[in-house]
Amino acid sequence: MSASMPFSRIIGSGSFLPPNLVTNEALAADMATRQIETSDEWIAERTGIRQRYIADRGVKTSALATEAARRALADAGVDASEVDLIIVATSTADFVFPSTACIVQAGLGNKGAAAFDVQAVCSGFVYALTTADSFIRAGRAKCAVVIGAEVFSSILDWNDRGTCVLFGDGAGAVVLQASDTPGIIGAELHADGSQMNILTAAGNVAYGQVTGDPFLRMDGQAVFKQAVTVLDRSARSVTADAGLTMADVDWMIPHQANLRILTFLARKLDVPLEKVVVTVDQHANTSAASIPLALDVARRDGRIQSGQLVLLQGVGGGFTWGSVLVRM
Ligand code: UT7
């Protein structure tokens, strides 16, 4: 690759949701059969979530990821053989190994690209996108497929109403290509491992069995407070580092966990809610998939236009967070 292409640009996007749509009402009715009380009113009022998509048992993350990647490649007009880097952000990998990215690679029929997973929970996509951008800027890749994909339903304790109503399954992907004009114009990633316990799925496969707790556990209020604080701070610093302000940003795509987090964040940053892409009502929290899913929805419905400035922001387990500023 020549030194005349020092930047990376998003040239296509795609997403995929499993077909099984579960409304709040349907979920509440199902939980009632296990004597667990919840309601559409509680879920909608506290989170903004109205429905989610749940993969059938046995459907793996790689299946959702591969379909989202196919759609992104078709949108970009790029053949899978041209891809030299595949990164999958996921916390619900198919296997201990190989990586989900290698399984996606085989599914796409690509040979030879570097392929690996990134594990940063709900910040996974911004971590993966920043990694791919860094590869391209360093001249180590020309065309990357960056995917966020999850089957979070597989790590939920369906008897814990404090968590199981919040999440859904899905996948989103972008194609990132070397370019002589800047697309990714800023990025920052952070973590604070001392807060690992506020959001965790602390299980593992070892010595022939599951050890630890295989389910997601969360201190919802601690995560809520941290999310608003770090996303506000990170939005300000990533724009300032690029010589811009929040007023220059056309669209915000924060991680879709809770409509109240998005509303608080927009208010703190003095950004009108109309500039925030919201999909949490439709998809619930799909962890690493939420940002590329929302990006794809807003590109396809015509909201996000070429040339506009988009701020992508992830936050979640680890504790991790980060922002990527993209000129579309
Ligand atoms: O990707 C990042 C991951 N997660 C997040 O970003 C989540 C961040 N946190 C949140 O979104 C919110 O903290 C929650 C939505 C999880 C919880 O909302 P909250 O307003 O903080 O509620 P709470 O935990 O204080 O619970 C209030 C009440 C409790 O009952 P009592 O103790 O007041 O009687 C809960 O037991 O609501 C109860 N509750 C429910 N009731 C009906 C908790 N879950 C449910 C439920 N249905 N599903």
Side-chain angles (χ1 to χ4, degrees):
M1 201 192 81
S2 75
S4 62
M5 303 249 275
F7 302 110
S8 79
R9 260 198 118 85
I10 293 176
I11 59 161
S13 65
S15 58
F16 181 73
L17 293 159
N20 183 25
L21 188 164
V22 181
T23 62
N24 289 348
E25 289 87 352
L27 182 57
D30 177 62
M31 288 167 67
T33 65
R34 283 172 274 124
Q35 273 76 53
I36 302 161
E37 204 189 310
T38 189
S39 64
D40 173 45
E41 295 71 48
W42 192 95
I43 301 168
E45 197 174 291
R46 301 286 179 129
T47 71
I49 295 165
R50 307 235 162 235
Q51 60 178 48
R52 76 283 295 137
Y53 295 83
I54 301 293
D56 290 340
R57 264 187 188 232
V59 172
K60 301 273 197 200
T61 295
S62 64
L64 310 186
T66 304
E67 192 49 41
R70 273 199 198 106
R71 292 177 183 188
L73 287 166
D75 182 48
V78 167
D79 191 83
S81 63
E82 297 168 54
V83 172
D84 55 7
L85 175 63
I86 299 167
I87 308 181
V88 175
T90 188
S91 300
T92 48
D94 287 21
F95 304 124
V96 174
F97 66 79
S99 69
T100 309
C102 285
I103 302 167
V104 170
Q105 177 181 38
L108 293 175
N110 171 281
K111 283 196 168 49
F116 59 92
D117 291 358
V118 159
Q119 161 59 293
V121 202
C122 305
S123 309
F125 185 75
V126 297
Y127 266 70
L129 189 61
T130 303
T131 304
D133 174 58
S134 304
F135 267 66
I136 290 174
R137 292 167 74 104
R140 299 227 156 85
K142 286 201 254 316
C143 185
V145 175
V146 184
I147 307 162
E150 304 279 12
V151 180
F152 245 53
S153 58
S154 68
I155 57 165
L156 296 175
D157 177 353
W158 291 95
N159 294 316
D160 174 13
R161 68 177 184 174
T163 55
C164 74
V165 303
L166 304 174
F167 296 91
D169 302 331
V174 299
V175 179
L176 195 69
Q177 198 177 50
S179 160
D180 49 17
T181 53
I184 309 274
I185 62 171
E188 60 164 57
L189 304 176
H190 298 286
D192 176 2
S194 74
Q195 296 192 78
M196 68 172 99
N197 290 325
I198 65 174
L199 180 50
T200 178
N204 195 3
V205 178
Y207 310 108
Q209 59 189 38
V210 174
T211 62
D213 184 348
F215 293 125
L216 177 152
R217 305 292 176 200
M218 177 171 74
D219 177 345
Q221 290 187 2
V223 173
F224 192 108
K225 266 188 223 146
Q226 272 300 314
V228 175
T229 305
V230 300
L231 292 177
D232 171 58
R233 197 195 304 145
S234 179
R236 291 174 196 277
S237 71
V238 80
T239 46
D241 283 353
L244 300 165
T245 71
M246 284 307 295
D248 297 307
V249 172
D250 295 297
W251 296 102
M252 279 183 70
I253 308 186
H255 168 53
Q256 305 284 311
N258 184 323
L259 184 58
R260 282 159 56 219
I261 294 179
L262 304 185
T263 309
F264 269 96
L265 179 65
R267 199 179 301 153
K268 281 189 102 170
L269 290 167
D270 207 16
V271 169
L273 202 55
E274 298 73 54
K275 283 189 171 190
V276 181
V277 178
V278 176
T279 53
V280 67
D281 56 332
Q282 301 296 307
H283 304 159
N285 181 348
T286 57
S287 190
S290 93
I291 294 170
L293 259 165
L295 177 67
D296 189 51
V297 165
R299 279 185 80 237
R300 280 171 198 267
D301 70 18
R303 268 179 289 176
I304 295 181
Q305 298 285 329
S306 177
Q308 287 187 326
L309 193 63
V310 182
L311 175 61
L312 310 177
Q313 291 200 283
V315 62
F319 200 73
T320 56
W321 66 98
S323 301
V324 180
L325 202 49
V326 188
R327 180 72 64 192
M328 296 301 297

